[in-house]
Amino acid sequence: MQIQAAVAHRKGAPFSIEAVELAPPGDDEVLIQMVASGICHTDLSARDQEKPVPLPAVFGHEGAGIVLQTGRDVTTVQPGDHVVLSYGSCGACSECRENRPFLCRDMFDINFLGRMPDGSTRLRQGTQEVSTFFAQSSFATYAVATQRNTVKVDPSIPLSLLAPLGCGVQTGSGVVFNRLKPDASNSIVVFGCGTVGLSAIMAAHVLGCHVIVGVDLDPDRLALALDLGATHVLNPTETDVIEAVLVMLGTGADYAIDAVGSPNILRQCVDVIRPGGVAVLVGGTPVGTEVSLGMQNLLSGRTVTGVTEGDSVPQAFIPQLIALYQQGQFPFDKLIRRYPFEQINQAVEDMKSGKAIKPVLVFST
Ligand SMILES: [Zn+2]
Ligand SMILES: [Zn+2]
């Protein structure tokens, strides 16, 4: 079928909304009419070729829409269902079989190499193959996803609100809920107050951490961090963050999160935690990025680790986040700013300038 999609033709160039041919869903796939899609920094880093997605490509990996058609092996959704789309995984490797799809051995290939998990293509313009992204390519009026990355959701909540649950919000909150699992006795420092960092702060607040420090350069984001549950905020242009935390706690923090994905920030995460503490990389980094760490810090029991997609099994975790939202404990709606699909390049500019934390594209029906 012919769809309208935001095509990325060249590294760094604006998206261009054009007609694209979408092949029908295979046996374990789902055709979805897109209602909304979040924009994530990974879409832009892939367009800018920090990830090797072949161009031209249709990006977008926080899709939300309504199921139109299902392949014959699909059992978890049916036409008419409201769904949120998440990351792709193979379903066959030992990690997937042990219900840890976030560690899928084919994670990179499935989500970043431009093809569906079975190796086939879904998108083309004439004879030109167009890459898919995260087994969905949600910057388009229609998309084909796999059953594995399609999550049925409560139809009473607007899909334009739920879209970012598929990546940014589950990534930030999942590192806290699924990996660190802190309690009221714990302290946590979150570097970077975008969607991922603010979602981590909301999760730490839900679990009652007694000290939650948000770190960012932008005063508006720091104000929002306080609103969402941070107990303290620090601006590195005004304060030495590591010294301030050591003074505040009398020691390092239990946990620190790098929600930016830079060597400098990860280094600070390691330096700001106490002996035995845990520093976690959550933000995506360009392929090939390396970091240097003080070895003495590691000798005193500090752990440095990373989390992909918040250690989330989307079919289980996304409904949990929606339930928390409905209980008023997880107000991620405060991160969202909506744009008509046609204004995708404006939305990207606003995300880059900091005017929008989580832009969500809305498709006209
Ligand atoms: Zn797998
Ligand atoms: Zn993402």
Side-chain angles (χ1 to χ4, degrees):
M1 67 188 291
Q2 198 175 79
I3 65 171
Q4 293 291 311
V7 183
H9 286 284
R10 287 181 310 283
K11 175 179 175 176
F15 295 106
S16 169
I17 297 182
E18 301 170 4
V20 174
E21 192 63 24
L22 175 67
D27 289 347
D28 70 339
E29 294 179 341
V30 182
L31 173 66
I32 296 129
Q33 179 178 7
M34 210 56 66
V35 172
S37 174
I39 304 177
C40 175
H41 284 284
T42 303
D43 295 308
L44 307 184
S45 66
R47 180 194 66 178
D48 298 343
Q49 298 290 281
E50 291 174 4
K51 304 274 196 307
V53 183
L55 299 178
V58 175
F59 293 109
H61 61 287
E62 291 181 342
I66 299 169
V67 174
L68 285 186
Q69 187 186 336
T70 57
R72 63 182 177 188
D73 296 341
V74 172
T75 56
T76 53
V77 293
Q78 55 188 18
D81 283 348
H82 285 210
V83 294
V84 166
L85 305 180
S86 192
Y87 62 94
S89 57
C90 80
C93 72
S94 56
E95 285 75 14
C96 280
R97 279 187 277 118
E98 288 165 6
N99 205 26
R100 296 184 296 173
F102 45 87
L103 299 180
C104 176
R105 291 178 194 183
D106 291 335
M107 179 68 115
F108 190 84
D109 293 10
I110 287 173
N111 293 294
F112 289 106
L113 292 191
R115 288 171 176 262
M116 293 299 281
D118 66 2
S120 65
T121 56
R122 282 290 169 280
L123 300 169
R124 59 176 51 251
Q125 285 184 309
T127 56
Q128 171 71 57
E129 233 171 53
V130 177
S131 288
T132 55
F133 193 56
F134 273 71
Q136 53 177 288
S137 291
S138 62
F139 294 164
T141 49
Y142 297 85
V144 165
T146 69
Q147 175 169 228
R148 289 183 60 77
N149 67 326
T150 301
V151 181
K152 187 175 172 178
V153 293
D154 183 340
S156 70
I157 307 174
L159 287 161
S160 60
L161 173 64
L162 300 181
L165 291 175
C167 182
V169 174
Q170 82 172 356
T171 294
S173 59
V175 66
V176 173
F177 283 131
N178 299 327
R179 176 69 74 87
L180 299 177
K181 301 179 179 168
D183 60 29
S185 71
N186 290 133
S187 54
I188 186 164
V189 182
V190 179
F191 288 84
C193 294
T195 299
V196 170
L198 291 170
S199 297
I201 286 170
M202 282 188 280
H205 179 64
V206 169
L207 297 179
C209 294
H210 78 291
V211 173
I212 304 168
V213 183
V215 182
D216 203 283
L217 302 168
D218 182 333
D220 292 340
R221 290 182 180 221
L222 293 177
L224 185 55
L226 285 171
D227 186 35
L228 294 175
T231 59
H232 305 75
V233 290
L234 297 170
N235 188 329
T237 60
E238 298 166 359
T239 317
D240 181 319
V241 171
I242 293 168
E243 196 179 291
V245 171
L246 292 176
V247 168
M248 189 189 302
L249 295 170
T251 180
D254 297 314
Y255 304 114
I257 293 175
D258 173 3
V260 178
S262 92
N264 171 42
I265 301 288
L266 184 58
R267 170 77 192 237
Q268 289 185 63
C269 284
V270 177
D271 291 343
V272 84
I273 53 176
R274 63 168 172 78
V278 182
V280 194
L281 170 64
V282 185
T285 60
V287 171
T289 307
E290 297 189 358
V291 64
S292 73
L293 300 173
M295 290 174 73
Q296 190 63 35
N297 268 344
L298 300 183
L299 283 175
S300 48
R302 290 171 174 84
T303 299
V304 185
T305 186
V307 174
T308 295
E309 295 288 349
D311 281 1
S312 163
V313 179
Q315 278 81 358
F317 189 51
I318 287 174
Q320 288 172 18
L321 293 177
I322 293 172
L324 281 173
Y325 167 75
Q326 288 175 311
Q327 292 159 19
Q329 294 193 62
F330 192 70
F332 71 98
D333 54 311
K334 292 185 179 179
L335 312 181
I336 288 173
R337 187 173 175 136
R338 293 173 174 86
Y339 295 82
F341 178 44
E342 294 72 23
Q343 290 178 18
I344 181 171
N345 291 310
Q346 183 64 50
V348 167
E349 288 311 309
D350 288 356
M351 183 164 72
K352 283 183 173 170
S353 72
K355 195 169 160 190
I357 291 176
K358 173 53 72 180
V360 171
L361 303 171
V362 178
F363 297 85
S364 50
T365 48

